[in-house]
Amino acid sequence: MTVTARHTGYQLLPYGIYKGEELVCLAPLFFRSVHGVKTLFSPPPMQAVIPYLGLIPAKDFTALKLGKQEAIMDLVATDLSAEIDAISPHYFSLTFVPGLTDVRQFIWRGYTPKVHYTYVIDLTRPLETIWGDFHYKLRNKIRKAEKAGMDLVRSTDISDLYTALAGRFSQPDMNIPMISRRYFEDLFRAYPDHLAAYYLYDREGALTGAVATQEYKRFLLWMGTPRFESVHAGNEYLQWLLVRRARAEGYSYLENIGANTPDLNFFKSKFCSVLGMYMEVCRKDMVGTLAEWAYTSVFNNPRLKRRVVPYID
């Protein structure tokens, strides 16, 4: 969180919600004021490349009876809303992790709920069952790629991955800007056991696929790259190898981010028949609404984007 705050320009506001002397929830918020427009997020949008963050309940939260969970969420929403009101952001957004879907206490306090989706593969099932869920055309591509003979390499060197990502995100029609290479280097340096870059090479040593992962409790396909020029289905085979690897290492779930992006649905849904869900609550006033419109309609215009968005340094 401190690395993200440093590189995105947001101020980290780490809140703890207590029930008496007991810490029941953490709420890391990120604040930024630009030209008088105050924003408050968790996680920070855009350049942070973090899908969700929001609230972090105590470890025993999910084991509690529903009534006690509701009481804690009421306390969290009450205390956190008081802090949000004191900051008075023009735009506020809190995006919860998958599984934490009860946002009623925030809805009752005037926040607007939004539903987001993610592709999830249950790795506790037999490998044959997982394989059977794949689209038949996908299975054919993977078989052909397997016969071609490719090598999967796990690395903390992001050089090739970053070069591919930079080319992808710096395209004017992309909605997500890329920030500095130093951000990813600092993240990989801080979490060498939980962040990784996977590269897939053919027999000639050419790169045919690359992806960055987060590996903590669930195996998350974090940032992928566009299709490489190759006769083999590199990205498809890469993902299949990672499904097998994650299952062999004992992960219960593999998550493939991208279900909220129409351009990615057709490709990613071939791997998975299950949609996971996560929630966001937000609130904005007239200034926040105008700032949101200005960004999506004006500053995100391809002709202006390269002038106002910090892409690559």
Side-chain angles (χ1 to χ4, degrees), residues 107-128:
I107 295 174
W108 296 336
R109 287 165 174 78
Y111 296 86
T112 301
K114 294 182 180 180
V115 180
H116 301 286
Y117 297 95
T118 184
Y119 291 116
V120 179
I121 298 177
D122 181 359
L123 298 178
T124 62
R125 300 172 300 157
L127 196 61
E128 295 77 11

Side-chain angles (χ1 to χ4, degrees), residues 279-307:
M279 300 297 297
E280 175 189 3
V281 292
C282 57
R283 193 171 69 184
K284 54 189 175 183
D285 59 16
M286 290 295 294
V287 175
T289 301
L290 180 61
E292 182 183 38
W293 173 86
Y295 174 79
T296 56
S297 302
V298 180
F299 297 116
N300 206 37
N301 185 292
R303 296 181 179 178
L304 299 176
K305 200 169 183 182
R306 289 183 181 275
R307 299 180 181 179

Side-chain angles (χ1 to χ4, degrees), residues 127-165:
L127 196 61
E128 295 77 11
T129 304
I130 298 173
W131 172 259
D133 278 347
F134 290 4
H135 192 280
Y136 74 96
K137 290 185 178 180
L138 173 63
R139 294 198 299 267
N140 290 335
K141 286 185 177 181
I142 292 174
R143 289 190 187 102
K144 292 179 181 179
E146 193 168 24
K147 292 178 181 178
M150 298 194 208
D151 293 323
L152 178 67
V153 176
R154 186 185 193 275
S155 175
T156 56
D157 182 357
I158 66 167
S159 300
D160 290 339
L161 175 69
Y162 187 82
T163 299
L165 287 171

Side-chain angles (χ1 to χ4, degrees), residues 75 94 207 313:
L75 174 64
L94 188 73
L207 186 63
D313 63 0

